[in-house]
Amino acid sequence: MNFKLISLGCKVNSYESNAIREMFLINGYKEDNNKPDVIVINTCSVTAVADQKSRQIIRREKRNNKNAIVVVMGCYSQKNSDYIAEKCDADIIVGTSNRNKILTLINQFKSDNKKIILVDKDARHLPYESFGVFAMPESTRAYIKIEDGCNNFCSYCTIPYTRGQARSRDKEEIKDEIRFLIEKGFKEFIIAGIHTAHYGLDLKNITFSDLIEEIINIPSLYRLRISSIEESEIDDKFIDLLKKYNNIADHLHMPLQSGSKTVLKRMHRKYNVDDFIEKVRRIREVRPNIAITTDVIVGFPGETEEEFNETVEFIKKIKFSELHVFPFSTREGTLAYSMENQIDPKVKNERVQILINLSKKLEEEYRNKFIGQELDVILEERNKKINKLCGYTSNYLKLSTDLPDEYIGKIVKVKVA
């Protein structure tokens, strides 16, 4: 049988989709996007737009592949399983658990041709669902999932309800997967999770920083990148690791969401702007040229012009190297959904554009600091538009070179221009 896999949303979804792909392949299925017998759609629900896109893709695939079995999994199906069954006509629906049962469910559906909904409604208390150690698709970078779930309950976010509480993957399985992939030739590993630095909260005998220390001491590990870490989770040990180990990438993604104290309080974030400034100062003491990227939500309910300007000035003060900007999206079931003073979409879009323009300026300023320097790059692929090999430096600059394809996967020095 042939299968097709569609993955939406975050890097954790990508990781889980790759695990599903491996599961199909080792059980004799072949990947074929043109004539699939089974279509697996890994959905996202982080914004209202993500919900809409998930629905559209389910309907499109069902319409275009009338004889295929359509399997839906992920965050959108976790909280909308009945709707998907009735309005999108999917055949098999699981949520953020039971993914490792998909092959069994397909066989069951083939046998009795009855729609299957297998969703654990109380996602808060799910155990960590392991997919074991598996091979990634051909690449030079591998995402390594270390945890699932989140305990924070920010006022705008549904993820704790769809992904459940924070739960950690077995550390030996994590290290085994990395060792296995090092032998396959992977050079860079990106530590990922729903709330990555919540690793260990349910284990009590290990912290996120402890895990990072064990990983970076794996022989032949060239580069380790942290996908995201919040200010409140950067402890003394983590800063010490940044100082001692140069195989931790010179790049951190630290979600900000707002540079206004009052907005952060309404968001139920667990830090304030003063804490953020101090943590960045300590990081830059040990890594002066580190790239620090961030997320910002624009147009949170009640965000005044003054509060928005506080965010703009804070971003300039920190000098992030890149911003990921999102307009606030109302999510039913969250505290922010029913907050007063929702911001007009036009105002949101104007503010988004201001921050996008600021991000471009900050990116240019950061890159200009390295012009003329030769930096190590892991070459990943050929950019067909410019006909050059491209890859990333430790501090997440994308550079290109005229080398031939035999150099894909190699580490080379490239001058920043």
Side-chain angles (χ1 to χ4, degrees):
M1 290 185 72
N2 299 331
F3 74 95
K4 177 180 180 179
L5 190 56
I6 300 172
S7 188
L8 307 174
C10 68
K11 299 305 181 185
V12 171
N13 264 17
S14 296
Y15 176 92
E16 292 167 348
S17 295
N18 283 325
I20 299 296
R21 174 181 285 108
E22 181 83 353
M23 185 171 69
F24 274 98
L25 292 173
I26 64 177
N27 280 276
Y29 283 72
K30 293 182 179 179
E31 191 163 11
D32 187 336
N33 292 333
N34 297 317
K35 295 182 179 179
D37 302 297
V38 176
I39 301 167
V40 179
I41 304 167
N42 196 358
T43 60
C44 176
S45 188
V46 70
T47 64
V49 172
D51 281 357
Q52 182 184 34
K53 188 173 182 181
S54 295
R55 289 192 297 270
Q56 288 173 342
I57 288 176
I58 297 166
R59 288 170 176 149
R60 182 194 73 196
E61 294 302 316
K62 188 67 181 176
R63 182 175 64 251
N64 294 343
N65 301 276
K66 297 186 185 302
N67 296 322
I69 300 169
V70 174
V71 182
V72 181
M73 60 184 251
C75 290
Y76 180 68
S77 59
Q78 176 65 40
K79 63 189 182 82
N80 296 281
S81 57
D82 292 337
Y83 179 91
I84 293 169
E86 294 171 15
K87 304 295 185 181
C88 303
D89 200 27
D91 300 305
I92 299 171
I93 304 163
V94 296
T96 54
S97 60
N98 299 307
R99 278 84 52 93
N100 51 17
K101 299 176 183 174
I102 283 176
L103 290 178
T104 301
L105 297 178
I106 290 170
N107 290 332
Q108 181 183 329
F109 182 84
K110 286 161 59 182
S111 175
D112 57 26
N113 201 34
K114 291 182 180 178
K115 197 179 296 288
I116 299 170
I117 303 176
L118 186 60
V119 176
D120 295 307
K121 294 296 184 181
D122 184 9
R124 290 301 301 158
H125 303 291
L126 296 173
Y128 183 87
E129 183 177 39
S130 175
F131 294 99
V133 173
F134 65 91
M136 301 288 288
E138 290 301 316
S139 181
T140 58
R141 294 195 288 168
Y143 285 89
I144 304 295
K145 183 183 174 186
I146 66 166
E147 70 85 51
D148 208 336
C150 179
N151 295 347
N152 273 5
F153 289 97
C154 298
S155 63
Y156 52 82
C157 186
T158 62
I159 296 303
Y161 306 100
T162 59
R163 282 283 180 170
Q165 65 188 351
R167 54 225 190 261
S168 306
R169 185 181 181 187
D170 178 74
K171 72 170 185 177
E172 295 305 323
E173 187 177 280
I174 294 169
K175 292 194 292 183
D176 284 347
E177 186 162 271
I178 292 172
R179 292 188 193 102
F180 173 72
L181 293 172
I182 287 173
E183 291 179 4
K184 294 282 185 181
F186 283 80
K187 301 290 194 302
E188 180 174 312
F189 296 89
I190 304 168
I191 297 301
I194 295 301
H195 195 115
T196 312
H198 272 179
Y199 183 89
L201 290 185
D202 56 327
L203 301 179
K204 308 304 180 187
N205 60 348
I206 186 171
T207 67
F208 174 75
S209 295
D210 294 336
L211 176 69
I212 295 303
E213 184 174 36
E214 292 198 28
I215 290 173
I216 55 183
N217 281 292
I218 293 174
S220 301
L221 189 147
Y222 176 73
R223 184 187 292 166
L224 184 73
R225 196 179 298 276
I226 314 297
S227 64
S228 180
I229 184 168
E230 301 213 355
E231 175 281 326
S232 57
E233 294 148 357
I234 297 175
D235 56 16
D236 291 346
K237 180 168 184 176
F238 186 82
I239 291 175
D240 191 50
L241 294 176
L242 289 177
K243 183 178 181 180
K244 288 169 60 178
Y245 295 96
N246 61 13
N247 55 346
I248 298 178
D250 212 16
H251 164 229
L252 289 178
H253 186 80
M254 295 174 60
L256 172 67
Q257 311 307 1
S258 175
S260 165
K261 291 181 180 180
T262 47
V263 174
L264 285 175
K265 189 173 182 180
R266 296 201 298 276
M267 286 179 167
H268 292 185
R269 300 293 285 170
K270 299 187 181 302
Y271 54 84
N272 60 50
V273 290
D274 295 329
D275 296 334
F276 204 102
I277 289 170
E278 174 59 16
K279 203 60 64 75
V280 170
R281 183 195 66 78
R282 292 186 61 198
I283 291 167
R284 284 179 172 154
E285 271 188 352
V286 299
R287 293 282 188 99
N289 291 318
I290 194 168
I292 299 179
T293 56
T294 197
D295 299 326
V296 185
I297 295 174
V298 170
F300 190 77
E303 183 185 64
T304 63
E305 192 72 25
E306 181 183 1
E307 287 172 330
F308 174 69
N309 288 333
E310 287 172 358
T311 294
V312 172
E313 293 307 311
F314 185 80
I315 289 167
K316 290 177 180 177
K317 184 173 184 177
I318 293 292
K319 290 187 181 298
F320 293 103
S321 57
E322 186 181 3
L323 311 176
H324 299 167
V325 186
F326 305 92
F328 169 73
S329 177
T330 54
R331 316 300 291 128
E332 191 171 357
T334 64
L335 286 171
Y337 182 76
S338 55
M339 283 182 177
E340 296 180 352
N341 301 318
Q342 299 284 332
I343 305 300
D344 184 276
K346 183 180 178 182
V347 174
K348 277 193 232 181
N349 291 336
E350 289 171 353
R351 293 176 181 176
V352 164
Q353 193 57 53
I354 288 170
L355 290 190
I356 288 173
N357 292 338
L358 177 56
S359 180
K360 291 176 182 176
K361 184 173 181 288
L362 292 170
E363 288 176 57
E364 185 178 6
E365 287 177 359
Y366 181 76
R367 187 184 182 93
N368 286 347
K369 290 165 60 176
F370 301 93
I371 286 179
Q373 295 185 35
E374 287 192 334
L375 302 178
D376 288 344
V377 175
I378 305 173
L379 295 176
E380 296 185 8
E381 61 185 357
R382 180 166 295 280
N383 183 322
K384 293 180 180 178
K385 288 184 178 179
I386 60 175
N387 195 28
K388 291 185 178 183
L389 295 188
C390 297
Y392 288 92
T393 63
S394 176
N395 60 339
Y396 212 56
L397 295 179
K398 190 172 186 178
L399 302 182
S400 59
T401 177
D402 286 321
L403 291 169
D405 286 354
E406 302 90 84
Y407 280 83
I408 291 176
K410 306 292 185 185
I411 301 161
V412 301
K413 288 195 178 296
V414 179
K415 183 177 286 189
V416 182

